[in-house]
Amino acid sequence: MRRVVCPGSFDPVTNGHLDIITRAADLYDEVVVAVARNPSKTSLFTAAERVELLREVTKKYDNVRVDSFEGLTVDFCKANGISAIVKGLRAVSDFDYEMQMAQMNYSQSGVETLFMTTNPLYAFLSSSLVKDFAKYGGDVSGLVPGPVLTALTSRLAES
Ligand code: PNS
């Protein structure tokens, strides 16, 4: 079975993430979306909430599975029989860091990284920008899936 992992913070998942996940699902037998649990990083949504939102927005894709992990992505890959990581590249600014991570991961584990160019519609999009824009009353309805918009609106109203 050709299985890849799509790792990230997904705080929260955006239409840009979803575009990469679904395009990867067209190419591979199984895509495992892996939510990084990083206790030292502040997030708007807990890892469990991020997993839940991802499950909701990917439920129509039979070959997409959502999980979470703590530690190294390559260790998650080894534990799950995954030989490649799929990452979206939005712009040249993503390239340096992503390239370094890919080379580090390959050199230390043999796990490959495959880059997919982001749909130009979402080239500017990031979870951080979405959160910031929404926090100050901006309309992000075209940038995140419906269930994420609902969760985001209610989470921001709490603070
Ligand atoms: O959505 P993000 O925050 O850009 O995702 C980054 C993520 C979680 C994919 C990356 O930081 C990662 O792989 N973290 C796990 C720890 C790890 O493997 N670090 C070594 C990289 S060489």
Side-chain angles (χ1 to χ4, degrees):
M1 181 186 267
R2 292 173 314 150
R3 185 184 287 139
V4 284
V5 67
C6 197
S9 303
F10 302 107
D11 185 42
V13 56
T14 67
N15 286 345
H17 292 128
L18 204 51
D19 175 62
I20 297 292
I21 293 166
T22 56
R23 283 161 61 203
D26 281 343
L27 296 172
Y28 288 89
D29 297 320
E30 185 175 55
V31 176
V32 182
V33 182
V35 174
R37 297 192 308 267
N38 184 348
S40 59
K41 203 169 159 186
T42 310
S43 59
L44 185 63
F45 294 98
T46 65
E49 288 169 335
R50 287 178 269 152
V51 166
E52 209 38 58
L53 284 170
L54 273 158
R55 287 197 176 132
E56 176 66 23
V57 303
T58 59
K59 65 183 177 200
K60 64 177 172 205
Y61 302 97
D62 291 339
N63 62 338
V64 175
R65 177 161 76 77
V66 184
D67 204 346
S68 68
F69 72 103
E70 200 170 320
L72 294 174
T73 300
V74 292
D75 286 342
F76 178 84
C77 290
K78 275 187 225 150
N80 287 274
I82 298 170
S83 55
I85 297 167
V86 167
K87 286 290 197 78
L89 274 188
R90 287 169 296 194
V92 180
S93 50
D94 282 341
F95 186 77
D96 278 350
Y97 182 56
E98 290 295 344
M99 175 90 159
Q100 262 188 308
M101 264 204 295
Q103 289 175 331
M104 179 77 167
N105 284 333
Y106 183 74
S107 75
Q108 299 307 111
S109 70
V111 173
E112 297 277 7
T113 298
L114 308 168
F115 293 114
M116 199 174 259
T117 51
T118 296
N119 183 325
L121 280 176
Y122 308 123
F124 60 92
L125 194 50
S126 73
S127 299
S128 304
L129 279 185
V130 163
K131 284 183 284 190
D132 208 35
F133 206 67
K135 184 173 155 192
Y136 294 107
D139 178 6
V140 295
S141 56
L143 307 177
V144 293
V148 174
L149 183 64
T150 307
L152 188 58
T153 308
S154 87
R155 180 57 45 90
L156 291 173
E158 288 165 13
S159 52

